[in-house]
Amino acid sequence: MHDSVKRLKVQLVGAALTVVVSAVALSATTYAWFAANNRVHANTSTISAQANGMVLQIAKGNNVTHDGSDKQTTASSAGHEISPSSTNDAQSWFVPKSWKGTDVSGYQKANTDASGKYTLTSGTDSYYAYVAADYTLYTVTNTGIADVYLDGTNPVTIRPSGNETDEWFNKIKGSLRVGIVINDELKVVYAPVEPSATERGNDVLSTIGWSCVASEGTTTQAPSYAHIAGTTLTDQSGGDWAATGSGGSYSKPAGANPRAIAKNVGYNGTNMKIVIWMEGTDSDCQNWSEQDKNTAAPTFDVTVSLVGIVPDGK
């Protein structure tokens, strides 16, 4: 048994595993941040994960009961519609309360359930602030522990999966945010497109760049969460989230400030949640004349790639 365990640990050191999480998030034919009756219409979506080996594992849900096979390399969940929203911690969510013309003039807190569903205080219609999926990351029996980073070669990809026009897809992609939550802590938020440094945001203060709603009323702020965008995987504080390498061989970020998505993931498992929303303060999250060219609600796929690497000294 000792030799078998030793071989497994060597395998973990020598070949990091890539975990891919895919989600179908959805946009609406109309999704203006300022229009309270606009929602995102969705069919069932799939969230899945894959590992290119048998060391790092992933399963759907929390507190997974291991089946003993060490072959849990895929997992899936059902998605739903989403409407524009804003958050600084993936726990408190804010939506428009009042408008001045087509500009938001005030915000209210959305009392969401676990699925992101909420009802406005001024009406009876229900909406969804986000779509989320829970997973458990863990390692194969007796292989020790692994730290998990973003795959620096292809961290997050966004692809259209329906009949949307390119123009619509680009608008959706521009306002999209993908958050990774570990044990209820928002670790990092990824934007496929860097928020504009010149265009005013679609919010009460016309904020330029990264922004979010800070509280009920009229306050917005630069988000305090770690955030990255596009191919730049270094956050605003200099933290490097990207493992380097390709295929089955990766190393942790080489910079002075490596940032892991999750640390010391072992056989008992670590909860990971992927949260997807359209950031309502973004300049791309606004009404647009091309919306009427779509006969059905556009859809798109989000893929997050993670890498497991054995910690130094293990």
Side-chain angles (χ1 to χ4, degrees):
M1 174 61 73
H2 177 76
D3 290 341
S4 176
V5 172
K6 184 177 181 180
R7 285 195 298 272
L8 286 172
K9 288 186 176 181
V10 170
Q11 181 184 7
L12 180 58
V13 173
L17 279 300
T18 302
V19 175
V20 179
V21 180
S22 301
V24 178
L26 303 119
S27 94
T29 52
T30 302
Y31 78 108
W33 170 240
F34 55 78
N37 62 346
N38 287 338
R39 63 172 64 198
V40 175
H41 301 284
N43 297 316
T44 299
S45 65
T46 300
I47 300 173
S48 63
Q50 300 177 11
N52 63 349
M54 295 301 173
V55 176
L56 188 61
Q57 305 280 286
I58 188 166
K60 175 184 175 181
N62 284 324
N63 303 316
V64 170
T65 300
H66 300 290
D67 62 7
S69 66
D70 288 336
K71 295 180 180 179
Q72 291 188 247
T73 58
T74 62
S76 63
S77 301
H80 53 68
E81 63 188 45
I82 55 174
S83 295
S85 62
S86 188
T87 187
N88 189 45
D89 56 11
Q91 296 182 26
S92 296
W93 296 85
F94 297 92
V95 296
K97 181 178 182 180
S98 57
W99 299 264
K100 182 177 181 180
T102 58
D103 293 328
V104 180
S105 59
Y107 305 98
Q108 62 183 309
K109 187 175 181 179
N111 294 316
T112 59
D113 63 15
S115 68
K117 187 177 182 179
Y118 68 94
T119 301
L120 293 173
T121 56
S122 59
T124 58
D125 289 340
S126 294
Y127 304 86
Y128 288 88
Y130 58 85
V131 60
D134 277 294
Y135 298 100
T136 298
L137 291 170
Y138 65 98
T139 55
V140 171
T141 312
N142 296 323
T143 59
I145 59 175
D147 292 342
V148 180
Y149 300 89
L150 285 173
D151 182 350
T153 60
N154 198 25
V156 183
T157 58
I158 318 293
R159 295 186 179 91
S161 58
N163 297 319
E164 54 280 331
T165 64
D166 289 342
E167 292 86 353
W168 247 124
F169 172 66
N170 289 336
K171 296 295 285 187
I172 297 164
K173 185 176 179 179
S175 65
L176 195 69
R177 301 291 186 269
V178 181
I180 302 177
V181 178
I182 299 294
N183 295 331
D184 296 325
E185 178 188 357
L186 181 60
K187 301 294 289 188
V188 66
V189 173
Y190 175 86
V193 178
E194 181 76 36
S196 175
T198 57
E199 297 179 357
R200 74 180 186 90
N202 193 17
D203 64 87
V204 64
L205 298 180
S206 300
T207 312
I208 295 176
W210 282 89
S211 63
C212 64
V213 175
S215 63
E216 290 189 311
T218 61
T219 305
T220 59
Q221 66 179 28
S224 61
Y225 54 69
H227 51 78
I228 53 181
T231 58
T232 302
L233 301 182
T234 301
D235 65 31
Q236 73 273 27
S237 300
D240 187 353
W241 297 83
T244 58
S246 62
S249 180
Y250 286 84
S251 300
K252 75 175 187 179
N257 188 18
R259 295 294 304 275
I261 297 294
K263 295 183 73 68
N264 296 324
V265 173
Y267 183 69
N268 289 333
T270 297
N271 172 244
M272 177 181 70
K273 179 183 291 183
I274 302 297
V275 184
I276 301 169
W277 74 96
M278 291 184 291
E279 176 53 60
T281 64
D282 193 274
S283 60
D284 276 316
C285 201
Q286 57 186 284
N287 221 336
W288 181 59
S289 61
E290 290 287 315
Q291 61 192 5
D292 294 328
K293 294 184 179 181
N294 291 283
T295 58
T299 64
F300 53 95
D301 297 330
V302 179
T303 302
V304 181
S305 298
L306 304 175
V307 174
I309 299 175
V310 68
D312 292 339
K314 299 295 183 179

